[in-house]
Amino acid sequence: MSHPDNCIFCKIAAGTIPSRKVYEDEDIFVFHDIAPWAPVHFLMIPKAHIPSMAQVGAEHEALLGRMMTLAPKLALEQGCRPYPEGGFRIVTNTGAEGGQEVHHLHIHVMGGPRPWLRG
Ligand code: AMP
Ligand code: ZN
């Protein structure tokens, strides 16, 4: 599952397609969604090409755990107000009926003052 030539999120993680970067480490890349639903809306992706949550296994437990524990920290840094008055929403669309359009696993993190554009 390494970097297919035609995957837009692999290209974003590699820096060959520009994005507004929020965070990066060896395994994880985070950038602002190009069409935000909410005042704060960023996407968290593994740098490795995993198509969706349908393909994850035991070998991904540490990576997914790190992404989920990083999300609240980045949400606050990006302007979400603290829990419980503030908070954020985490969404991972999976497959056609799950509403997934880009087939490189990504976690949407949305938040900020309502009303939101969508959701
Ligand atoms: P999903 O429907 O869950 O697959 O979400 C894909 C998300 O990727 C959508 O919210 C898009 O707005 C976002 N998106 C697509 N292309 C880009 C891009 N080049 N930079 C940032 N976000 C993007
Ligand atoms: Zn990819």
Side-chain angles (χ1 to χ4, degrees):
M1 286 195 278
S2 65
H3 304 219
D5 291 339
N6 57 351
C7 174
I8 185 172
F9 284 0
C10 280
K11 290 180 182 171
I12 285 176
T16 55
I17 287 180
S19 69
R20 288 173 56 219
K21 183 166 86 174
V22 169
Y23 172 90
E24 178 175 15
D25 65 28
E26 199 179 321
D27 304 312
I28 298 167
F29 194 89
V30 183
F31 56 103
H32 291 283
D33 197 294
I34 205 166
W37 287 30
V40 176
H41 186 173
F42 58 84
L43 303 174
M44 308 183 70
I45 64 172
K47 287 188 173 176
H49 182 81
I50 305 169
S52 81
M53 284 299 292
Q55 285 77 33
V56 302
E59 69 274 28
H60 302 118
E61 281 176 6
L63 171 68
L64 291 170
R66 285 193 43 234
M67 291 174 77
M68 290 302 274
T69 52
L70 183 59
K73 181 172 171 283
L74 296 181
L76 285 175
E77 285 178 11
Q78 291 304 313
C80 294
R81 293 192 303 135
Y83 175 93
E85 294 82 8
F88 51 85
R89 175 180 293 175
I90 286 177
V91 173
T92 298
N93 300 321
T94 304
E97 292 182 348
Q100 185 179 9
E101 291 180 354
V102 177
H103 289 263
H104 178 129
L105 193 158
H106 53 281
I107 297 173
H108 294 258
V109 181
M110 291 166 273
R114 288 181 177 271
W116 293 357
L117 200 59
R118 298 169 73 182

